[in-house]
Amino acid sequence: MNFSFHCQAGCRHTQARAGIFSTPHGLVETPRFMPVGTLANVKTVTPEQLQATGAQMVLANTYHLHLQPGEEIVEKAGGVHRFMGWDGPMLTDSGGFQVFSLSEIRAIAEEGVTFRSPRDGQMIHLTPERSIQIQNALGADVIMAFDECPPYPASWDAVAAATERTYRWLERCVVAHQRPDQALFGIIQGGVYPDLRQQAAKAITAIDLPGYAIGGVSVGEPAELIETIVRGTTPFMPEHKPRYLMGVGTYREMAQAIAAGIDLFDCVIPTRLARHGSALVQGDRWNLKNARFREDFTPLDQECPCYTCQRFTRAYISHLLRAQELLAFTLISIHNITELVRFTQRIREAILHDRFTVEFAHWLRPASG
């Protein structure tokens, strides 16, 4: 199957670019925010509602689907696309980040990672080969190499060891990968150390793969360090392959990463905030439980075309939250996903019309600027 990336236009003043990433399940117009559907569902949102947000590519997670319901069931259902009723492009994370988050109940060795399942206490051994086997069974368009995500803060020596192991694990992932209709992406680690990031980028991209990701950010480091990491890494990534920044989904972080040449993003922010009653409105976060929304009969955002903003008011959503009605989570999730997808869509249009640095100047400045 053919995977390709075509750059349609570039920004004259930054490294930003607008492109098309072709996959077996359709095209992804970049730059693009991708919603996260950890357990083969974007929480509280149906596939039809998700499509209406403008989302083109959706994530699922290897680790979580392995635990429940198991990749065998997903494979018998016809793969993750059919299982969840989504016919667009999909990506599965390798489980590396989830293993990182289980630091208190896991042990890392050269062979792989052993951890105790938080669901039933069963001991699970996850190796690069096993991660790829699971992802081959799940059947997403893009699969990720199994990596070791070092924490923040961590010493140079500790990050160097994790970064070198990530490269060795990638070599094993390449050998284990059996499906030509799935694109395997490598992950560049290196923590906050520029020399390790550059070394990792050169080593990982020396292996010819359909795309590459920057991992190990948004693990506790300050936002300004994320920009430094991205700007220091993207020059060593191929221009003719898609570049994916993992786990990032705020306006400023995405705009600055796009300026550095990043194409794809994912983050759980839109649905996680929704479950806490918070809406994203033009980059701000609103707690809709606040008293000021009780009698506010305007849409969340009058400029937003989403189902929620076209049909419901702030007062109604605030009422649903106070009444603990589950519909509130669906309505806010629809809006929040639309908000982030539209932000990257607007940047794409600005790049195509050579207006990126003018229209998004506010988001390209440091937060304190």
Side-chain angles (χ1 to χ4, degrees):
M1 303 297 293
N2 183 41
F3 291 88
S4 65
F5 178 79
H6 169 63
C7 182
Q8 297 173 292
C11 174
R12 290 185 299 162
H13 308 289
T14 71
Q15 299 303 308
R17 63 216 195 138
I20 298 287
F21 177 41
S22 300
T23 80
H25 282 85
L27 304 177
V28 182
E29 298 172 337
T30 66
R32 202 76 172 192
F33 175 80
M34 303 179 292
V36 176
T38 303
L39 278 162
N41 76 294
V42 176
K43 286 182 170 54
T44 75
V45 178
T46 69
E48 290 77 13
Q49 292 168 331
L50 188 59
Q51 187 176 40
T53 68
Q56 292 181 332
M57 192 168 191
V58 178
L59 274 70
N61 184 263
T62 298
Y63 163 80
H64 289 287
L65 288 174
H66 173 62
L67 295 183
Q68 176 68 38
E71 63 275 11
E72 299 88 355
I73 290 177
V74 176
E75 187 173 31
K76 287 179 181 178
V80 68
H81 293 87
R82 289 189 180 180
F83 189 56
M84 70 176 286
W86 174 260
D87 58 7
M90 288 197 68
L91 179 153
T92 45
D93 190 4
S94 67
F97 181 80
Q98 284 65 39
V99 169
F100 151 80
S101 69
L102 298 171
S103 58
E104 296 182 358
I105 56 173
R106 55 102 165 116
I108 300 176
E110 186 63 27
E111 178 62 20
V113 181
T114 302
F115 60 94
R116 190 175 299 278
S117 169
R119 287 182 175 269
D120 57 13
Q122 177 184 356
M123 294 303 296
I124 296 175
H125 189 54
L126 192 59
T127 65
E129 292 82 5
R130 189 74 186 101
S131 174
I132 295 300
Q133 289 169 3
I134 296 169
Q135 292 186 83
N136 284 166
L138 294 175
D141 300 274
V142 174
I143 66 175
M144 303 303 298
F146 191 59
D147 62 326
E148 181 180 345
C149 179
Y152 174 86
S155 69
W156 187 95
D157 288 341
V159 175
T163 303
E164 291 166 4
R165 180 175 286 133
T166 292
Y167 174 77
R168 294 192 296 271
W169 282 358
L170 172 60
E171 292 183 308
R172 290 163 58 185
C173 288
V174 170
V175 173
H177 183 34
Q178 297 296 316
R179 290 185 57 169
D181 61 336
Q182 292 180 295
L184 173 63
F185 279 25
I187 302 176
I188 299 165
Q189 291 289 350
V192 297
Y193 301 101
D195 57 334
L196 294 180
R197 286 286 179 178
Q198 292 179 18
Q199 292 171 22
K202 291 177 181 178
I204 296 294
T205 59
I207 299 176
D208 187 21
L209 298 170
Y212 303 93
I214 298 177
V217 298
S218 291
V219 293
E221 75 279 20
E224 57 268 21
L225 277 181
I226 297 177
E227 181 186 6
T228 300
I229 290 167
V230 174
R231 288 191 178 277
T233 305
T234 50
F236 300 93
M237 301 173 72
E239 293 184 358
H240 62 291
K241 303 287 181 71
R243 301 167 179 158
Y244 166 29
L245 181 59
M246 307 178 75
V248 167
T250 69
Y251 268 35
R252 194 174 305 278
E253 289 172 355
M254 287 196 294
Q256 292 176 350
I258 289 169
I262 294 294
D263 307 300
L264 298 168
F265 305 86
D266 80 281
C267 193
V268 298
I269 280 179
T271 51
R272 178 173 292 172
L273 287 178
R275 296 194 301 279
H276 289 87
S278 294
L280 293 168
V281 182
Q282 299 184 15
D284 293 329
R285 298 182 185 183
W286 292 358
N287 182 355
L288 296 175
K289 297 177 185 177
N290 286 346
R292 68 187 180 101
F293 295 112
R294 281 182 180 270
E295 297 183 22
D296 188 339
F297 302 110
T298 59
L300 286 175
D301 183 350
Q302 297 199 20
E303 298 179 6
C304 180
C306 80
Y307 172 76
T308 301
C309 290
Q310 295 301 308
R311 295 287 295 271
F312 304 101
T313 66
R314 300 170 185 176
Y316 179 66
I317 300 170
S318 180
H319 151 68
L320 292 177
L321 288 168
R322 294 170 185 279
Q324 299 184 333
E325 288 289 342
L326 299 182
L327 178 60
F329 304 148
T330 296
L331 295 182
I332 303 173
S333 292
I334 289 171
H335 169 76
N336 286 352
I337 294 169
T338 303
E339 177 84 4
L340 294 183
V341 170
R342 286 184 69 230
F343 181 70
T344 52
Q345 282 181 304
R346 293 198 305 271
I347 289 181
R348 172 182 164 78
E349 288 300 312
I351 295 170
L352 289 171
H353 294 91
D354 199 21
R355 298 280 299 171
F356 175 49
T357 55
V358 175
E359 295 181 11
F360 293 87
H362 170 70
W363 298 111
L364 294 173
R365 291 192 295 267
S368 57

